[in-house]
Amino acid sequence: MLLIHTPSFALAALSWLGTPPSEESALLLDALKANPDAFGSILENADEHRLKIEVAVVVDGPDGPTLERHSIDRGPDYWYPASSVKTCAAIAAFVKLDRLGEDTGRPIDRDTPLRFLPLFDDETVDDADPSHLDGGMITAAHEARKVFLVSDNRGYNRLYELAGNDVVNDVMRDAGLSTCRIFHRLSEFRSPSDQLRVPAIELMDGEGETIASLPVRTSAFEETNADLDGISIGTGHTSGDQVVDGPMSFERKNYISLRDLQDMHVMLLRPDIAIDGASGFPISDGDRAFIAEAM
């Protein structure tokens, strides 16, 4: 997937994997056809490639800015959003911290040091991040910066565990992103049920004293991608150290439609733009500015 932000195009999203619109954009088709050497074979096999493009142009009007949509959506419904879901976890983690600060009355924010207690047998206490040059502590702010700067999987996993699976999905759904389904950590291979469990976390002050804590949490998220076309992909895949003949099932793999992924970024970076059916994210102006700067 390619995300582009320019003065004329608020956000363009291009993916070779994602649900056919009723009308395809002549603007996009003409742009692709104008470069047959680059896009000719892709257009000829668009369904096979699961060609999906979303472009939103910001249009200024008397009642404020709106979006002019242009779409191409070919092939099966499902596409794997890969690292783009890391933004979901960052937003949800910041929301979780804001709520925890309100509930406890303690000074809790994105820079509060975190200590992750072991949940699985192969884990130990996780309370240090050598890449954080300001004290070496784990904080949501530093993990989010790692996510946006170098697409760090460990950073995403910590943010996912801080928010919890329920909160990640609820924050996205409450904002109006109804297709979002987050099931798991990244590059950490555990059972589907274990992916829905997150560890106890202690939040500390600058002296290392615990000021709040989160218990072990288990999500009741029972949805799957079984309603989507194209969730069996490939002719072979790995399971642990084994190579398995046959397609891989994405029935319980992360998913968000390309349109919702685009809208998530519009809500985050341009909250002044109204999107039908969307309420936006309940994050502070400071958190929003921090994420935008890190991006």
Side-chain angles (χ1 to χ4, degrees), residues 225-270:
N225 295 321
D227 60 320
L228 300 176
D229 296 332
I231 59 172
S232 295
I233 302 174
T235 58
H237 64 281
T238 59
S239 178
D241 296 329
Q242 303 297 315
V243 176
V244 180
D245 290 332
M248 180 176 182
S249 173
F250 284 72
E251 183 174 348
R252 294 183 64 85
K253 297 295 185 181
N254 294 336
Y255 172 71
I256 182 171
S257 72
L258 198 61
R259 171 66 63 87
D260 274 359
L261 181 63
Q262 181 184 65
D263 285 352
M264 175 180 70
H265 287 84
V266 174
M267 287 184 224
L268 179 64
L269 300 173
R270 289 293 304 271

Side-chain angles (χ1 to χ4, degrees), residues 135-171:
M137 301 296 291
I138 299 172
T139 67
H142 185 63
E143 299 310 304
R145 187 173 291 280
K146 288 161 55 182
V147 159
F148 295 123
L149 290 178
V150 296
S151 192
D152 187 83
N153 285 344
R154 184 71 177 278
Y156 161 79
N157 291 344
R158 285 170 171 163
L159 294 169
Y160 172 88
E161 292 180 341
L162 173 60
N165 177 276
D166 283 336
V167 173
V168 177
N169 283 293
D170 287 348
V171 167

Side-chain angles (χ1 to χ4, degrees), residues 94-138:
F94 286 5
V95 170
K96 180 70 174 182
L97 290 172
D98 285 345
R99 291 174 178 172
L100 192 59
E102 293 175 359
D103 292 342
T104 63
R106 305 304 294 269
I108 294 171
D109 59 23
R110 62 181 181 268
D111 293 311
T112 298
L114 307 171
R115 177 187 292 122
F116 293 72
L117 303 183
L119 177 64
F120 303 112
D121 291 341
D122 59 348
E123 295 182 329
T124 58
V125 173
D126 187 18
D127 62 359
D129 190 333
S131 71
H132 192 187
L133 301 183
D134 186 14
M137 301 296 291
I138 299 172

